Amino acid sequence: MKDLLVRAGRPDELDAVESLLREASAWLASRSIDQWQYPPHRDRITEALERGVCFLAFEDGVPIATIQVDDFADPEFWTPEDRPDAALYVHRMAVTRTASGAGIGSLLLDWASERASAQGKRWLRLDAWKDNNGLHRFYKGAGFTLLRIVDLPHRRSGALFQRSTKSLADNSM
């Protein structure tokens, strides 16, 4: 892997973000995983780009990954007891297949943890598809703990993960 640049995406880069998400959707479908089998939510992505919370990772000037990191704690998943304001949340992370296996996803999660820590947040959190066990293994391997699975009939996501931002900061000292 060469130099990786992560920066906030611009509104005019909506197509790049959508392309990464569509590629991930097609790959998941090819593995008989029903996650993300709908068109990307252009309105949500556009809003995230405008707010500066949708990021692109570039290698040699080419976008190879996207991640959204913000303070939105989905109220259907995160309860007041979870102290939602103590965390930043990852949404819509995708890495192009040509860069898969290079550790880009783990690098992005570390980058997001550093971002959360810099904002005084104790946790980096995310919700994942309930039945994507491979994704669950990936997050556990990246230091996340499965807190619980929220089973709502109208939501396929609901596996709630978090990891401390402090452990990353402690390792760098």
Side-chain angles (χ1 to χ4, degrees):
M1 182 180 67
K2 298 177 180 69
D3 293 329
L4 186 70
L5 166 72
V6 180
R7 67 159 172 78
R10 300 183 312 258
D12 66 340
E13 293 174 313
L14 173 63
D15 288 343
V17 174
E18 278 191 316
S19 177
L20 288 162
L21 294 171
R22 286 181 191 278
E23 181 184 359
S25 173
W27 178 75
L28 289 164
S30 76
R31 300 183 70 224
S32 299
I33 298 171
D34 65 355
Q35 181 175 342
W36 288 1
Q37 297 308 301
Y38 48 80
H41 297 283
R42 287 181 70 89
D43 57 334
R44 294 179 191 171
I45 299 167
T46 298
E47 189 262 337
L49 288 165
E50 289 171 351
R51 286 188 347 179
V53 296
C54 179
F55 300 88
L56 285 166
F58 294 84
E59 187 175 58
D60 296 329
V62 176
I64 61 166
T66 185
I67 186 171
Q68 183 174 325
V69 183
D70 60 29
D71 60 1
F72 177 68
D74 189 322
E76 288 192 319
F77 296 147
W78 302 101
T79 68
E81 292 79 27
D82 293 319
R83 294 193 51 233
D85 59 332
L88 283 186
Y89 298 82
V90 171
H91 314 278
R92 290 185 278 279
M93 184 174 80
V95 177
T96 186
R97 301 314 310 150
T98 59
S100 69
I104 302 299
S106 293
L107 285 173
L108 286 175
L109 292 171
D110 289 347
W111 174 87
S113 286
E114 290 172 11
R115 186 171 181 82
S117 180
Q119 293 182 31
K121 304 296 186 178
R122 172 78 170 101
W123 304 105
L124 182 65
R125 293 179 173 156
L126 56 90
D127 63 272
W129 215 247
K130 291 180 278 195
D131 59 2
N132 187 338
N133 294 321
L135 187 58
H136 295 192
R137 284 190 299 278
F138 169 76
Y139 287 129
K140 288 176 182 176
F144 284 79
T145 300
L146 176 63
L147 295 179
R148 65 184 173 273
I149 295 181
V150 177
D151 196 17
L152 301 172
H154 62 286
R155 301 284 299 267
R156 297 301 307 269
S157 194
L160 307 185
F161 288 86
Q162 74 178 12
R163 81 174 188 192
S164 174
T165 61
K166 297 202 183 299
S167 61
L168 198 64
D170 292 343
N171 290 339
S172 65
M173 295 181 174

